[in-house]
PDB file of all heavy atoms in Angstrom:
ATOM      1  N   MET A   1     104.327 -43.544 -71.773  1.00 98.00           N
ATOM      2  CA  MET A   1     103.808 -44.025 -70.557  1.00 98.00           C
ATOM      3  C   MET A   1     102.419 -43.893 -70.332  1.00 98.00           C
ATOM      4  O   MET A   1     101.751 -44.818 -69.880  1.00 98.00           O
ATOM      5  CB  MET A   1     104.656 -43.440 -69.330  1.00 98.00           C
ATOM      6  CG  MET A   1     106.092 -43.783 -69.477  1.00 98.00           C
ATOM      7  SD  MET A   1     107.084 -42.953 -67.977  1.00 98.00           S
ATOM      8  CE  MET A   1     106.503 -44.015 -66.695  1.00 98.00           C
ATOM      9  N   ALA A   2     101.830 -42.673 -70.534  1.00 97.00           N
ATOM     10  CA  ALA A   2     100.392 -42.485 -70.405  1.00 97.00           C
ATOM     11  C   ALA A   2      99.574 -43.398 -71.342  1.00 97.00           C
ATOM     12  O   ALA A   2      98.456 -43.814 -70.983  1.00 97.00           O
ATOM     13  CB  ALA A   2     100.052 -41.019 -70.631  1.00 97.00           C
ATOM     14  N   ASP A   3     100.100 -43.639 -72.519  1.00 97.00           N
ATOM     15  CA  ASP A   3      99.447 -44.548 -73.435  1.00 97.00           C
ATOM     16  C   ASP A   3      99.611 -46.018 -73.095  1.00 97.00           C
ATOM     17  O   ASP A   3      99.243 -46.913 -73.938  1.00 97.00           O
ATOM     18  CB  ASP A   3      99.857 -44.291 -74.804  1.00 97.00           C
ATOM     19  CG  ASP A   3      99.544 -42.836 -75.419  1.00 97.00           C
ATOM     20  OD1 ASP A   3      98.449 -42.345 -74.876  1.00 97.00           O
ATOM     21  OD2 ASP A   3     100.071 -42.326 -76.301  1.00 97.00           O
ATOM     22  N   GLY A   4     100.486 -46.342 -72.146  1.00 96.00           N
ATOM     23  CA  GLY A   4     100.711 -47.753 -71.878  1.00 96.00           C
ATOM     24  C   GLY A   4     101.586 -48.324 -72.781  1.00 96.00           C
ATOM     25  O   GLY A   4     101.518 -49.686 -72.960  1.00 96.00           O
ATOM     26  N   ASN A   5     102.597 -47.694 -73.341  1.00 97.00           N
ATOM     27  CA  ASN A   5     103.537 -48.300 -74.377  1.00 97.00           C
ATOM     28  C   ASN A   5     104.388 -49.458 -73.634  1.00 97.00           C
ATOM     29  O   ASN A   5     105.159 -49.146 -72.789  1.00 97.00           O
ATOM     30  CB  ASN A   5     104.437 -47.259 -74.913  1.00 97.00           C
ATOM     31  CG  ASN A   5     105.380 -47.730 -75.942  1.00 97.00           C
ATOM     32  OD1 ASN A   5     106.308 -48.339 -75.612  1.00 97.00           O
ATOM     33  ND2 ASN A   5     105.039 -47.299 -77.127  1.00 97.00           N
ATOM     34  N   THR A   6     103.873 -50.672 -74.124  1.00 97.00           N
ATOM     35  CA  THR A   6     104.591 -51.850 -73.394  1.00 97.00           C
ATOM     36  C   THR A   6     106.124 -51.892 -73.524  1.00 97.00           C
ATOM     37  O   THR A   6     106.874 -52.084 -72.459  1.00 97.00           O
ATOM     38  CB  THR A   6     104.022 -53.113 -74.104  1.00 97.00           C
ATOM     39  OG1 THR A   6     102.585 -53.055 -73.776  1.00 97.00           O
ATOM     40  CG2 THR A   6     104.592 -54.342 -73.267  1.00 97.00           C
ATOM     41  N   GLU A   7     106.632 -51.513 -74.799  1.00 97.00           N
ATOM     42  CA  GLU A   7     108.103 -51.490 -74.993  1.00 97.00           C
ATOM     43  C   GLU A   7     108.837 -50.500 -74.039  1.00 97.00           C
ATOM     44  O   GLU A   7     109.804 -51.006 -73.271  1.00 97.00           O
ATOM     45  CB  GLU A   7     108.433 -51.231 -76.391  1.00 97.00           C
ATOM     46  CG  GLU A   7     109.919 -51.333 -76.727  1.00 97.00           C
ATOM     47  CD  GLU A   7     110.741 -50.118 -76.390  1.00 97.00           C
ATOM     48  OE1 GLU A   7     110.298 -49.038 -76.430  1.00 97.00           O
ATOM     49  OE2 GLU A   7     111.978 -50.193 -76.011  1.00 97.00           O
ATOM     50  N   ALA A   8     108.280 -49.479 -73.862  1.00 98.00           N
ATOM     51  CA  ALA A   8     108.934 -48.285 -72.962  1.00 98.00           C
ATOM     52  C   ALA A   8     108.827 -48.796 -71.547  1.00 98.00           C
ATOM     53  O   ALA A   8     109.834 -48.717 -70.792  1.00 98.00           O
ATOM     54  CB  ALA A   8     108.247 -46.989 -73.046  1.00 98.00           C
ATOM     55  N   LEU A   9     107.688 -49.128 -71.147  1.00 98.00           N
ATOM     56  CA  LEU A   9     107.432 -49.653 -69.679  1.00 98.00           C
ATOM     57  C   LEU A   9     108.272 -50.840 -69.342  1.00 98.00           C
ATOM     58  O   LEU A   9     108.835 -50.930 -68.158  1.00 98.00           O
ATOM     59  CB  LEU A   9     105.984 -49.908 -69.425  1.00 98.00           C
ATOM     60  CG  LEU A   9     105.199 -48.555 -69.456  1.00 98.00           C
ATOM     61  CD1 LEU A   9     103.654 -48.969 -69.382  1.00 98.00           C
ATOM     62  CD2 LEU A   9     105.514 -47.601 -68.325  1.00 98.00           C
ATOM     63  N   GLU A  10     108.307 -51.770 -70.292  1.00 97.00           N
ATOM     64  CA  GLU A  10     109.211 -52.966 -69.995  1.00 97.00           C
ATOM     65  C   GLU A  10     110.620 -52.705 -69.780  1.00 97.00           C
ATOM     66  O   GLU A  10     111.407 -53.284 -69.104  1.00 97.00           O
ATOM     67  CB  GLU A  10     108.965 -54.089 -71.045  1.00 97.00           C
ATOM     68  CG  GLU A  10     107.585 -54.778 -70.855  1.00 97.00           C
ATOM     69  CD  GLU A  10     107.285 -55.824 -71.902  1.00 97.00           C
ATOM     70  OE1 GLU A  10     108.150 -55.857 -72.865  1.00 97.00           O
ATOM     71  OE2 GLU A  10     106.584 -56.749 -71.608  1.00 97.00           O
ATOM     72  N   SER A  11     111.147 -51.803 -70.764  1.00 97.00           N
ATOM     73  CA  SER A  11     112.562 -51.335 -70.690  1.00 97.00           C
ATOM     74  C   SER A  11     112.781 -50.706 -69.353  1.00 97.00           C
ATOM     75  O   SER A  11     113.868 -50.953 -68.657  1.00 97.00           O
ATOM     76  CB  SER A  11     112.667 -50.384 -71.902  1.00 97.00           C
ATOM     77  OG  SER A  11     114.102 -49.844 -71.729  1.00 97.00           O
ATOM     78  N   MET A  12     111.935 -49.747 -68.824  1.00 96.00           N
ATOM     79  CA  MET A  12     112.111 -49.148 -67.608  1.00 96.00           C
ATOM     80  C   MET A  12     112.089 -50.157 -66.351  1.00 96.00           C
ATOM     81  O   MET A  12     112.900 -50.049 -65.482  1.00 96.00           O
ATOM     82  CB  MET A  12     111.066 -47.957 -67.416  1.00 96.00           C
ATOM     83  CG  MET A  12     111.189 -46.881 -68.336  1.00 96.00           C
ATOM     84  SD  MET A  12     109.843 -45.663 -67.964  1.00 96.00           S
ATOM     85  CE  MET A  12     109.586 -45.035 -69.757  1.00 96.00           C
ATOM     86  N   ALA A  13     111.148 -51.051 -66.551  1.00 94.00           N
ATOM     87  CA  ALA A  13     110.968 -52.127 -65.454  1.00 94.00           C
ATOM     88  C   ALA A  13     112.319 -52.853 -65.286  1.00 94.00           C
ATOM     89  O   ALA A  13     112.841 -53.115 -64.257  1.00 94.00           O
ATOM     90  CB  ALA A  13     109.768 -52.982 -65.801  1.00 94.00           C
ATOM     91  N   ALA A  14     112.856 -53.418 -66.475  1.00 95.00           N
ATOM     92  CA  ALA A  14     114.025 -54.137 -66.556  1.00 95.00           C
ATOM     93  C   ALA A  14     115.241 -53.403 -65.944  1.00 95.00           C
ATOM     94  O   ALA A  14     116.089 -53.916 -65.222  1.00 95.00           O
ATOM     95  CB  ALA A  14     114.328 -54.714 -67.979  1.00 95.00           C
ATOM     96  N   ALA A  15     115.381 -52.054 -66.306  1.00 92.00           N
ATOM     97  CA  ALA A  15     116.423 -51.260 -65.914  1.00 92.00           C
ATOM     98  C   ALA A  15     116.348 -51.009 -64.312  1.00 92.00           C
ATOM     99  O   ALA A  15     117.336 -50.793 -63.605  1.00 92.00           O
ATOM    100  CB  ALA A  15     116.507 -50.002 -66.620  1.00 92.00           C
ATOM    101  N   SER A  16     115.121 -51.092 -63.735  1.00 87.00           N
ATOM    102  CA  SER A  16     114.926 -50.879 -62.396  1.00 87.00           C
ATOM    103  C   SER A  16     115.037 -52.211 -61.588  1.00 87.00           C
ATOM    104  O   SER A  16     114.855 -52.109 -60.285  1.00 87.00           O
ATOM    105  CB  SER A  16     113.655 -50.101 -62.069  1.00 87.00           C
ATOM    106  OG  SER A  16     112.486 -50.914 -62.483  1.00 87.00           O
ATOM    107  N   GLY A  17     115.253 -53.245 -62.236  1.00 84.00           N
ATOM    108  CA  GLY A  17     115.354 -54.550 -61.419  1.00 84.00           C
ATOM    109  C   GLY A  17     114.218 -55.242 -61.327  1.00 84.00           C
ATOM    110  O   GLY A  17     114.055 -56.129 -60.300  1.00 84.00           O
ATOM    111  N   THR A  18     113.044 -55.110 -61.925  1.00 88.00           N
ATOM    112  CA  THR A  18     111.822 -55.810 -61.660  1.00 88.00           C
ATOM    113  C   THR A  18     111.206 -56.159 -62.973  1.00 88.00           C
ATOM    114  O   THR A  18     111.757 -55.897 -64.148  1.00 88.00           O
ATOM    115  CB  THR A  18     110.989 -54.903 -60.797  1.00 88.00           C
ATOM    116  OG1 THR A  18     109.735 -55.657 -60.467  1.00 88.00           O
ATOM    117  CG2 THR A  18     110.441 -53.526 -61.483  1.00 88.00           C
ATOM    118  N   ASP A  19     109.924 -56.697 -62.973  1.00 93.00           N
ATOM    119  CA  ASP A  19     109.237 -56.931 -64.227  1.00 93.00           C
ATOM    120  C   ASP A  19     108.141 -55.901 -64.427  1.00 93.00           C
ATOM    121  O   ASP A  19     108.021 -54.936 -63.635  1.00 93.00           O
ATOM    122  CB  ASP A  19     108.688 -58.381 -64.177  1.00 93.00           C
ATOM    123  CG  ASP A  19     107.780 -58.553 -62.995  1.00 93.00           C
ATOM    124  OD1 ASP A  19     107.318 -57.438 -62.375  1.00 93.00           O
ATOM    125  OD2 ASP A  19     107.349 -59.775 -62.634  1.00 93.00           O
ATOM    126  N   LEU A  20     107.391 -56.033 -65.421  1.00 96.00           N
ATOM    127  CA  LEU A  20     106.398 -54.998 -65.787  1.00 96.00           C
ATOM    128  C   LEU A  20     105.289 -54.876 -64.655  1.00 96.00           C
ATOM    129  O   LEU A  20     104.903 -53.657 -64.293  1.00 96.00           O
ATOM    130  CB  LEU A  20     105.650 -55.317 -67.090  1.00 96.00           C
ATOM    131  CG  LEU A  20     104.671 -54.347 -67.599  1.00 96.00           C
ATOM    132  CD1 LEU A  20     105.199 -52.929 -67.837  1.00 96.00           C
ATOM    133  CD2 LEU A  20     103.990 -54.744 -68.959  1.00 96.00           C
ATOM    134  N   ALA A  21     104.971 -55.893 -63.970  1.00 94.00           N
ATOM    135  CA  ALA A  21     103.977 -55.844 -63.005  1.00 94.00           C
ATOM    136  C   ALA A  21     104.588 -55.151 -61.767  1.00 94.00           C
ATOM    137  O   ALA A  21     103.792 -54.322 -61.048  1.00 94.00           O
ATOM    138  CB  ALA A  21     103.362 -57.220 -62.648  1.00 94.00           C
ATOM    139  N   GLY A  22     105.811 -55.495 -61.429  1.00 90.00           N
ATOM    140  CA  GLY A  22     106.497 -54.862 -60.361  1.00 90.00           C
ATOM    141  C   GLY A  22     106.603 -53.340 -60.491  1.00 90.00           C
ATOM    142  O   GLY A  22     106.393 -52.524 -59.634  1.00 90.00           O
ATOM    143  N   TYR A  23     106.929 -52.911 -61.736  1.00 92.00           N
ATOM    144  CA  TYR A  23     107.230 -51.478 -62.068  1.00 92.00           C
ATOM    145  C   TYR A  23     105.868 -50.863 -61.861  1.00 92.00           C
ATOM    146  O   TYR A  23     105.673 -49.672 -61.463  1.00 92.00           O
ATOM    147  CB  TYR A  23     107.930 -51.415 -63.308  1.00 92.00           C
ATOM    148  CG  TYR A  23     108.184 -49.943 -63.645  1.00 92.00           C
ATOM    149  CD1 TYR A  23     108.951 -49.238 -62.753  1.00 92.00           C
ATOM    150  CD2 TYR A  23     107.653 -49.352 -64.880  1.00 92.00           C
ATOM    151  CE1 TYR A  23     109.303 -47.887 -63.075  1.00 92.00           C
ATOM    152  CE2 TYR A  23     108.089 -47.968 -65.159  1.00 92.00           C
ATOM    153  CZ  TYR A  23     108.932 -47.224 -64.239  1.00 92.00           C
ATOM    154  OH  TYR A  23     109.122 -45.891 -64.469  1.00 92.00           O
ATOM    155  N   GLN A  24     104.802 -51.541 -62.475  1.00 94.00           N
ATOM    156  CA  GLN A  24     103.522 -50.809 -62.463  1.00 94.00           C
ATOM    157  C   GLN A  24     103.002 -50.707 -61.063  1.00 94.00           C
ATOM    158  O   GLN A  24     102.359 -49.628 -60.753  1.00 94.00           O
ATOM    159  CB  GLN A  24     102.459 -51.747 -63.192  1.00 94.00           C
ATOM    160  CG  GLN A  24     101.079 -51.107 -63.398  1.00 94.00           C
ATOM    161  CD  GLN A  24     101.118 -49.767 -64.076  1.00 94.00           C
ATOM    162  OE1 GLN A  24     101.640 -49.714 -65.130  1.00 94.00           O
ATOM    163  NE2 GLN A  24     100.710 -48.671 -63.452  1.00 94.00           N
ATOM    164  N   ALA A  25     103.256 -51.604 -60.112  1.00 92.00           N
ATOM    165  CA  ALA A  25     102.916 -51.532 -58.788  1.00 92.00           C
ATOM    166  C   ALA A  25     103.573 -50.290 -58.148  1.00 92.00           C
ATOM    167  O   ALA A  25     103.031 -49.593 -57.335  1.00 92.00           O
ATOM    168  CB  ALA A  25     103.292 -52.666 -57.994  1.00 92.00           C
ATOM    169  N   GLN A  26     104.876 -49.931 -58.521  1.00 90.00           N
ATOM    170  CA  GLN A  26     105.500 -48.872 -58.035  1.00 90.00           C
ATOM    171  C   GLN A  26     104.913 -47.582 -58.634  1.00 90.00           C
ATOM    172  O   GLN A  26     104.719 -46.602 -57.818  1.00 90.00           O
ATOM    173  CB  GLN A  26     106.983 -48.888 -58.488  1.00 90.00           C
ATOM    174  CG  GLN A  26     107.830 -50.049 -57.717  1.00 90.00           C
ATOM    175  CD  GLN A  26     109.171 -50.135 -58.235  1.00 90.00           C
ATOM    176  OE1 GLN A  26     109.745 -49.320 -58.691  1.00 90.00           O
ATOM    177  NE2 GLN A  26     109.723 -51.355 -58.138  1.00 90.00           N
ATOM    178  N   LEU A  27     104.495 -47.612 -59.853  1.00 94.00           N
ATOM    179  CA  LEU A  27     103.893 -46.503 -60.474  1.00 94.00           C
ATOM    180  C   LEU A  27     102.457 -46.170 -59.748  1.00 94.00           C
ATOM    181  O   LEU A  27     102.137 -45.012 -59.580  1.00 94.00           O
ATOM    182  CB  LEU A  27     103.558 -46.689 -61.941  1.00 94.00           C
ATOM    183  CG  LEU A  27     104.836 -46.489 -62.834  1.00 94.00           C
ATOM    184  CD1 LEU A  27     104.626 -47.069 -64.272  1.00 94.00           C
ATOM    185  CD2 LEU A  27     105.392 -45.056 -62.870  1.00 94.00           C
ATOM    186  N   ASP A  28     101.845 -47.189 -59.252  1.00 94.00           N
ATOM    187  CA  ASP A  28     100.669 -46.964 -58.728  1.00 94.00           C
ATOM    188  C   ASP A  28     100.691 -46.267 -57.330  1.00 94.00           C
ATOM    189  O   ASP A  28      99.677 -45.578 -56.934  1.00 94.00           O
ATOM    190  CB  ASP A  28      99.883 -48.350 -58.319  1.00 94.00           C
ATOM    191  CG  ASP A  28      99.500 -49.100 -59.541  1.00 94.00           C
ATOM    192  OD1 ASP A  28      99.347 -48.443 -60.611  1.00 94.00           O
ATOM    193  OD2 ASP A  28      99.149 -50.360 -59.444  1.00 94.00           O
ATOM    194  N   THR A  29     101.856 -46.078 -56.660  1.00 93.00           N
ATOM    195  CA  THR A  29     102.071 -45.422 -55.514  1.00 93.00           C
ATOM    196  C   THR A  29     102.834 -44.069 -55.760  1.00 93.00           C
ATOM    197  O   THR A  29     103.389 -43.531 -54.927  1.00 93.00           O
ATOM    198  CB  THR A  29     102.700 -46.145 -54.405  1.00 93.00           C
ATOM    199  OG1 THR A  29     103.808 -46.900 -54.823  1.00 93.00           O
ATOM    200  CG2 THR A  29     101.668 -47.265 -53.932  1.00 93.00           C
ATOM    201  N   THR A  30     102.803 -43.702 -57.079  1.00 95.00           N
ATOM    202  CA  THR A  30     103.561 -42.582 -57.536  1.00 95.00           C
ATOM    203  C   THR A  30     102.579 -41.689 -58.314  1.00 95.00           C
ATOM    204  O   THR A  30     101.954 -42.176 -59.264  1.00 95.00           O
ATOM    205  CB  THR A  30     104.719 -42.907 -58.456  1.00 95.00           C
ATOM    206  OG1 THR A  30     105.577 -43.781 -57.717  1.00 95.00           O
ATOM    207  CG2 THR A  30     105.615 -41.560 -58.728  1.00 95.00           C
ATOM    208  N   LYS A  31     102.432 -40.342 -57.956  1.00 97.00           N
ATOM    209  CA  LYS A  31     101.604 -39.555 -58.743  1.00 97.00           C
ATOM    210  C   LYS A  31     102.474 -38.825 -59.830  1.00 97.00           C
ATOM    211  O   LYS A  31     103.201 -37.942 -59.659  1.00 97.00           O
ATOM    212  CB  LYS A  31     101.031 -38.379 -57.914  1.00 97.00           C
ATOM    213  CG  LYS A  31     100.266 -37.305 -58.694  1.00 97.00           C
ATOM    214  CD  LYS A  31      99.206 -37.895 -59.558  1.00 97.00           C
ATOM    215  CE  LYS A  31      98.472 -36.736 -60.301  1.00 97.00           C
ATOM    216  NZ  LYS A  31      97.493 -37.252 -61.247  1.00 97.00           N
ATOM    217  N   MET A  32     102.390 -39.616 -61.027  1.00 98.00           N
ATOM    218  CA  MET A  32     103.284 -39.029 -62.151  1.00 98.00           C
ATOM    219  C   MET A  32     102.441 -37.971 -62.939  1.00 98.00           C
ATOM    220  O   MET A  32     101.261 -38.069 -63.046  1.00 98.00           O
ATOM    221  CB  MET A  32     103.524 -40.205 -63.171  1.00 98.00           C
ATOM    222  CG  MET A  32     104.380 -41.216 -62.590  1.00 98.00           C
ATOM    223  SD  MET A  32     106.050 -40.863 -62.338  1.00 98.00           S
ATOM    224  CE  MET A  32     106.609 -40.241 -63.960  1.00 98.00           C
ATOM    225  N   PHE A  33     103.153 -36.886 -63.213  1.00 98.00           N
ATOM    226  CA  PHE A  33     102.590 -35.834 -64.025  1.00 98.00           C
ATOM    227  C   PHE A  33     102.815 -36.091 -65.479  1.00 98.00           C
ATOM    228  O   PHE A  33     103.764 -35.554 -66.173  1.00 98.00           O
ATOM    229  CB  PHE A  33     103.164 -34.512 -63.604  1.00 98.00           C
ATOM    230  CG  PHE A  33     102.827 -34.043 -62.318  1.00 98.00           C
ATOM    231  CD1 PHE A  33     103.791 -33.795 -61.345  1.00 98.00           C
ATOM    232  CD2 PHE A  33     101.434 -34.135 -61.806  1.00 98.00           C
ATOM    233  CE1 PHE A  33     103.398 -33.357 -60.076  1.00 98.00           C
ATOM    234  CE2 PHE A  33     101.154 -33.702 -60.542  1.00 98.00           C
ATOM    235  CZ  PHE A  33     102.111 -33.341 -59.526  1.00 98.00           C
ATOM    236  N   TYR A  34     102.065 -36.914 -66.083  1.00 98.00           N
ATOM    237  CA  TYR A  34     102.298 -37.259 -67.587  1.00 98.00           C
ATOM    238  C   TYR A  34     101.964 -36.133 -68.443  1.00 98.00           C
ATOM    239  O   TYR A  34     102.475 -35.845 -69.453  1.00 98.00           O
ATOM    240  CB  TYR A  34     101.362 -38.429 -67.863  1.00 98.00           C
ATOM    241  CG  TYR A  34     101.569 -39.735 -67.271  1.00 98.00           C
ATOM    242  CD1 TYR A  34     100.712 -40.350 -66.369  1.00 98.00           C
ATOM    243  CD2 TYR A  34     102.851 -40.332 -67.439  1.00 98.00           C
ATOM    244  CE1 TYR A  34     101.112 -41.487 -65.702  1.00 98.00           C
ATOM    245  CE2 TYR A  34     103.201 -41.521 -66.725  1.00 98.00           C
ATOM    246  CZ  TYR A  34     102.257 -42.199 -65.935  1.00 98.00           C
ATOM    247  OH  TYR A  34     102.612 -43.292 -65.235  1.00 98.00           O
ATOM    248  N   ASP A  35     100.891 -35.345 -67.959  1.00 98.00           N
ATOM    249  CA  ASP A  35     100.488 -34.012 -68.689  1.00 98.00           C
ATOM    250  C   ASP A  35     101.172 -32.849 -68.211  1.00 98.00           C
ATOM    251  O   ASP A  35     101.194 -32.559 -67.042  1.00 98.00           O
ATOM    252  CB  ASP A  35      98.956 -33.932 -68.624  1.00 98.00           C
ATOM    253  CG  ASP A  35      98.431 -32.701 -69.355  1.00 98.00           C
ATOM    254  OD1 ASP A  35      99.242 -31.952 -69.809  1.00 98.00           O
ATOM    255  OD2 ASP A  35      97.187 -32.791 -69.467  1.00 98.00           O
ATOM    256  N   PRO A  36     101.967 -32.170 -69.060  1.00 98.00           N
ATOM    257  CA  PRO A  36     102.718 -30.912 -68.539  1.00 98.00           C
ATOM    258  C   PRO A  36     101.834 -29.917 -67.920  1.00 98.00           C
ATOM    259  O   PRO A  36     102.224 -29.218 -67.046  1.00 98.00           O
ATOM    260  CB  PRO A  36     103.494 -30.460 -69.794  1.00 98.00           C
ATOM    261  CG  PRO A  36     102.606 -31.079 -71.026  1.00 98.00           C
ATOM    262  CD  PRO A  36     102.169 -32.395 -70.554  1.00 98.00           C
ATOM    263  N   ALA A  37     100.575 -29.830 -68.441  1.00 98.00           N
ATOM    264  CA  ALA A  37      99.742 -28.875 -67.805  1.00 98.00           C
ATOM    265  C   ALA A  37      99.257 -29.196 -66.301  1.00 98.00           C
ATOM    266  O   ALA A  37      99.176 -28.317 -65.634  1.00 98.00           O
ATOM    267  CB  ALA A  37      98.307 -28.813 -68.648  1.00 98.00           C
ATOM    268  N   GLU A  38      99.270 -30.520 -66.116  1.00 98.00           N
ATOM    269  CA  GLU A  38      99.050 -31.029 -64.543  1.00 98.00           C
ATOM    270  C   GLU A  38     100.365 -30.510 -63.804  1.00 98.00           C
ATOM    271  O   GLU A  38     100.119 -30.130 -62.636  1.00 98.00           O
ATOM    272  CB  GLU A  38      98.850 -32.413 -64.722  1.00 98.00           C
ATOM    273  CG  GLU A  38      98.239 -32.939 -63.362  1.00 98.00           C
ATOM    274  CD  GLU A  38      97.842 -34.423 -63.318  1.00 98.00           C
ATOM    275  OE1 GLU A  38      98.105 -35.115 -64.412  1.00 98.00           O
ATOM    276  OE2 GLU A  38      97.258 -34.844 -62.369  1.00 98.00           O
TER     277      GLU A  38
END
């Protein structure tokens, strides 16, 4: 996800009932801890 892997993100978007842009908009208001140190 941190690398912007399109296949992974599109799969998650579809499973959540939206498209890639819609899922990205949701991620924009979510503070994801992609790095375990964070």
Side-chain angles (χ1 to χ4, degrees):
M1 295 178 72
D3 290 341
N5 184 284
T6 302
E7 187 276 329
L9 291 170
E10 286 184 341
S11 176
M12 293 179 215
S16 65
T18 187
D19 58 15
L20 183 57
Y23 186 58
Q24 187 58 58
Q26 295 170 27
L27 285 171
D28 289 343
T29 52
T30 308
K31 173 56 181 176
M32 295 294 298
F33 294 124
Y34 297 118
D35 183 346
E38 193 175 9

